[in-house]
């Protein structure tokens, strides 16, 4: 085995091959469940034991993400490596990539874990974004505010998720406190987008460049955490098509092997602005588990294993609700008793405030969502 080129895997992976997953959360768990259905074993690598993904996988490694010896042993034990969250250090994939095929590779990970690179990348992929500026000093922040205007959103460039690591600046006096609070630097200042809806689209891309894109969905957040996804998005067909085309273009430009989600802001005039790219299965794609022939998790595993992509067409409309913290879990008895609801729970022991514990999908007749009152869509969900 040469140090520079990974051990050649025979793609498509044979049934019973092992897929290594970096990260042990619910996305890894649901990927591992999909992998099991496709005949594969999974080996989860994460710093902590008893993670949701480990509880449904054949093997686990509990080690730091930059532990070179543990990574080498992991590489030797698996046939391909993927990741389930984008805050895995790029260094981890750089250590693994010479040893074993990594799908997606370090490039997609690097772009998506840094908001500055991500914004520049959106531009190069032809996806419009809100005006933004990198800010390294408080003086640069003042200049950026003068250029971009207020209100604006100041964000950390790394490790931000679910609204953490950001502050809305409404007047010039808000800048100093936000600057003092947010780290590490540089930060990014973005114009505040007066969006009418938040949408996302998920694209799967195989190593051969074949792409399958799911219908765009409309997302609602609560306390900065995804609460509801409506599939399909109740928007003009041209908007939905544009979201899907953008997602496919981003996947191709990243040379992605796997799935990714692109989150958008929809402006009143129908323009879509790219907000974030997640190079992995995404919470806003959980509806695909029950409303599509191949879920986003099956597609991810298919792409990573070198199988042809499955069908991404929607056979039903769907509403997905996240079960978050104690409040979400309080819905469980009623949801469990409802034969019209598909439940997906992550096996987490304690329902801390803000913790994603599971989700519920309710299906509706194809093409009926747009014509159904929201109260009815959400009743009993
Ligand atoms: P993010 O972590 O970038 O996905 O942001 C979390 C949430 O904050 C988004 O889903 C939006 O609801 C809101 N948000 C983020 N950036 C902006 C922005 N530039 N303008 C308006 N709202 C924003």
């Amino acid at each position: 085995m040469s140090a520079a080129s990974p051990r050649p895997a025979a793609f498509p992976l044979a049934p019973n091959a092992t897929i290594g997953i970096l990260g042990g959360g619910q996305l890894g768990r649901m990927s591992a469940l999909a992998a099991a259905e496709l005949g594969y074993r999974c080996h989860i690598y994460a710093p902590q034991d008893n993670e949701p993904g480990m509880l449904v996988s054949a093997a686990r490694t509990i080690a730091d993400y930059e532990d070179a010896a543990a990574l080498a042993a992991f590489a030797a034990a698996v046939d391909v490596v993927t990741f389930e969250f984008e805050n895995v250090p790029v260094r981890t994939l750089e250590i693994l990539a010479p040893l074993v095929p990594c799908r997606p590779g370090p490039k997609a990970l690097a772009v998506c874990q840094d908001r500055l690179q991500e914004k520049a990348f959106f531009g190069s992929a032809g996806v419009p974004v809100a005006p933004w500026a990198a800010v390294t000093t408080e003086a640069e922040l003042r200049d950026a505010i003068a250029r971009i205007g207020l209100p604006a959103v100041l964000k950390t460039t790394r490790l931000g998720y679910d609204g953490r690591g950001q502050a809305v600046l409404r007047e010039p006096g808000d800048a100093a406190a936000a600057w003092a609070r947010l780290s590490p630097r540089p930060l990014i200042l973005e114009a505040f987008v007066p969006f009418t809806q938040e949408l996302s689209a998920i694209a799967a891309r195989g190593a051969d460049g074949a792409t399958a894109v799911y219908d765009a969905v409309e997302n609602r957040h609560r306390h900065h955490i995804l609460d509801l996804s409506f599939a399909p998005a109740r928007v003009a067909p041209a908007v939905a098509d544009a979201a899907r085309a953008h997602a496919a273009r981003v996947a191709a430009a990243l040379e992605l092997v796997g799935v990714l989600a692109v989150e958008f802001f929809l402006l009143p005039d129908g323009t879509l602005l790219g907000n974030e790219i997640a190079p992995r299965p995404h919470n806003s794609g959980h509806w695909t588990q029950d409303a599509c022939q191949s879920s986003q998790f099956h597609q991810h595993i298919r792409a990573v294993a070198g199988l042809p992509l499955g069908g991404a067409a929607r056979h039903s409309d769907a509403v997905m609700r996240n079960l978050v913290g104690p409040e979400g879990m309080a819905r469980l008895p009623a949801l469990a008793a409802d034969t019209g609801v598909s439940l997906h729970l992550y096996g987490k022991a304690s329902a801390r405030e803000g913790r994603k514990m599971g989700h519920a999908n309710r299906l509706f007749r194809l093409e009926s969502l747009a014509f159904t009152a929201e109260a009815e869509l959400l009743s009993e969900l």
Side-chain angles (χ1 to χ4, degrees):
M1 192 198 314
S2 111
S5 57
R7 181 178 72 244
F11 289 115
L13 296 182
N16 213 33
T18 301
I19 297 174
I21 303 180
L22 297 165
Q26 60 266 18
L27 301 175
R29 177 185 176 97
M30 290 183 277
S31 298
L33 292 170
E37 287 180 355
L38 290 165
Y40 299 120
R41 294 161 178 245
C42 286
H43 182 147
I44 303 278
Y45 185 113
Q48 268 146 29
D49 201 0
N50 286 322
E51 294 275 1
M54 293 175 181
L55 303 177
V56 301
S57 292
R60 66 184 75 177
T61 297
I62 298 142
D64 191 83
Y65 283 125
E66 301 197 32
D67 180 335
L71 289 170
F74 176 64
V78 303
D79 296 290
V80 67
V81 168
T82 187
F83 53 86
E84 62 109 41
F85 84 130
E86 66 269 29
N87 292 328
V88 170
V90 172
R91 179 82 195 117
T92 306
L93 282 194
E94 287 170 350
I95 293 171
L96 288 169
L99 306 174
V100 61
C102 293
R103 296 178 159 183
K107 177 185 165 186
L109 183 65
V111 168
C112 301
Q113 69 181 208
D114 180 326
R115 287 190 198 268
L116 296 172
Q117 283 197 52
E118 190 176 58
K119 282 282 190 291
F121 178 81
F122 267 132
S124 67
V127 181
V129 292
W132 60 278
V135 292
T136 315
T137 64
E138 205 171 344
E140 280 180 16
L141 176 57
R142 281 193 297 273
D143 290 349
I145 290 172
R147 222 168 40 251
I148 289 173
L150 292 178
V153 187
L154 186 63
K155 300 180 179 178
T156 54
T157 57
R158 309 180 75 81
L159 302 179
Y161 61 98
D162 288 345
R164 290 175 215 208
Q166 54 181 273
V168 178
L169 310 184
R170 300 196 183 278
E171 38 193 275
D174 295 340
W179 175 256
R181 178 167 73 79
L182 295 175
S183 68
R185 292 159 187 161
L187 302 175
I188 181 170
L189 187 76
E190 297 173 17
F192 185 89
V193 180
F195 58 80
T196 54
Q197 281 182 31
E198 293 188 81
L199 305 185
S200 60
I202 291 178
R205 186 171 177 276
D208 60 356
T211 305
V213 191
Y214 292 98
D215 286 307
V217 303
E218 174 187 342
N219 299 317
R220 299 258 187 89
H221 297 83
R222 247 185 115 218
H223 308 308
H224 294 289
I225 298 172
L226 184 67
D227 181 28
L228 294 163
S229 292
F230 296 86
R234 293 164 293 180
V235 294
V239 171
D241 289 349
R244 299 176 73 230
H246 284 326
R249 207 156 343 103
V250 166
L254 280 176
E255 297 167 34
L256 185 93
V257 180
V259 303
L260 60 70
V262 181
E263 296 182 84
F264 302 96
F265 298 131
L266 177 63
L267 296 180
D269 70 357
T271 304
L272 286 170
L273 299 179
N275 176 36
E276 276 195 319
I277 307 167
R280 51 163 173 81
H282 191 256
N283 198 166
S284 70
H286 290 356
W287 65 278
T288 63
Q289 290 175 302
D290 294 298
C292 299
Q293 186 162 26
S294 271
S295 76
Q296 61 165 348
F297 301 104
H298 289 102
Q299 297 288 38
H300 186 67
I301 295 299
R302 280 171 172 263
V304 165
L307 292 173
L309 297 179
R314 183 181 99 249
H315 57 67
S316 303
D317 289 5
V319 179
M320 188 278 321
R321 184 190 283 278
N322 264 345
L323 305 179
V324 179
E327 199 186 336
M329 291 306 273
R331 296 177 187 273
L332 196 53
L335 290 170
D338 188 331
T339 54
V341 165
S342 298
L343 271 179
H344 301 265
L345 296 172
Y346 309 150
K348 297 181 185 178
S350 69
R352 287 196 305 273
E353 205 62 52
R355 196 171 198 210
K356 291 175 181 170
M357 301 300 292
H359 63 274
N361 288 329
R362 180 184 284 284
L363 299 187
F364 296 86
R365 204 162 30 79
L366 193 65
E367 307 293 0
S368 69
L369 203 74
F371 308 102
T372 308
E374 193 160 309
E376 193 177 326
L377 293 177
L378 299 184
S379 68
E380 296 154 47
L381 191 64

